[in-house]
């Protein structure tokens, strides 16, 4: 959320909600402040508010301290940059004054997880295939280093087919996903 010059991440909102629940548990209600009336809260509900308050505070702190450093810097520098897939139509050309040396190196990693026995994946940026992976029990991870012409927003699509095996047999799943990614130099994506 963004209000004026105040940026509130999900972590902040969760933390504040936990603090409010804890305040309700400590005060117990029965007060009025301007247009806000807080009725009396029973002791059972106060204990529940305290427990949930501590849970939400812990989740908020855990999320904040486990966020990727690049995400923190981006959120602090550009709190109101929300982009949608419609912002990107065709591959972008470098902005004036930006040379082709602004190419971005991207490493795409694919690996099998527990229960997965085989996978085939194709990765596309702006409609062009940039990587394909064919994994099985003998080769359970693979990566591709891809050079993208310049920084900017790119549409991506990932489609694949995977086989999971468990005690009930093997199951074949096919799927696809897509979105928009902003690629920048010296940043993990």
């Amino acid at each position: 959320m963004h209000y004026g010059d105040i940026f509130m991440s999900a972590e902040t909102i969760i933390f504040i909600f936990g603090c409010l629940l804890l305040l309700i548990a400590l005060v117990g209600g029965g007060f009025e402040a301007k247009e806000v009336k807080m009725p009396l809260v029973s002791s059972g509900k106060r204990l529940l508010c305290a427990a949930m308050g501590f849970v939400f505070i812990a989740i908020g702190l855990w999320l904040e301290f486990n966020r990727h450093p690049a995400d923190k810097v981006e959120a602090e520098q550009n709190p109101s940059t929300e982009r949608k897939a419609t912002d990107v139509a065709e591959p972008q050309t470098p902005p004036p004054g930006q040379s082709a040396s602004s190419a971005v190196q991207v490493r795409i990693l694919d690996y099998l997880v527990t229960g997965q026995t085989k996978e085939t994946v194709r990765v596309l940026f702006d409609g062009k295939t940039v990587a394909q992976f064919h994994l099985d029990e003998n080769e359970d991870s693979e990566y591709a280093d891809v050079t993208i012409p310049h920084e900017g927003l790119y549409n991506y699509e990932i489609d694949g087919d995977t086989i999971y095996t468990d005690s009930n047999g093997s199951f074949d799943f096919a799927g696809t996903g897509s979105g928009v990614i902003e690629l920048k130099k010296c940043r993990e994506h």
Side-chain angles (χ1 to χ4, degrees), residues 23-88:
L23 180 65
I24 291 169
L26 293 172
V27 175
F31 64 89
E32 204 175 304
K34 291 190 181 182
E35 298 171 3
V36 178
K37 294 180 183 181
M38 183 64 192
L40 282 172
V41 180
S42 68
S43 60
K45 289 180 183 175
R46 288 175 70 182
L47 286 173
L48 180 61
C49 284
M52 293 307 295
F54 283 120
V55 168
F56 276 96
I57 288 171
I59 291 171
L61 290 172
W62 184 85
L63 289 172
E64 177 62 29
F65 290 112
N66 287 296
R67 239 187 346 166
H68 192 281
D71 294 337
K72 290 180 185 178
V73 170
E74 180 69 21
E76 290 167 3
Q77 291 175 349
N78 301 311
S80 63
T81 52
E82 294 180 16
R83 298 199 170 98
K84 300 176 185 170
T86 55
D87 293 340
V88 182

Side-chain angles (χ1 to χ4, degrees), residues 170-184:
S170 293
F171 305 93
D172 190 6
F173 295 98
T176 186
S178 62
V180 175
I181 187 169
E182 182 176 15
L183 297 176
K184 292 185 176 184

Side-chain angles (χ1 to χ4, degrees), residues 112 116-120 134-141:
L112 298 179
Q116 217 176 351
T117 55
K118 189 174 183 182
E119 180 174 80
T120 302
H134 304 283
L135 306 176
D136 57 31
E137 294 166 331
N138 297 322
E139 188 171 349
D140 63 355
S141 67

Side-chain angles (χ1 to χ4, degrees), residues 14 16 28 37-38 73 93 122 129 152 162:
I14 291 169
I16 290 171
K37 294 180 183 181
M38 183 64 192
V73 170
T93 56
R122 182 174 62 137
T129 301
T162 187

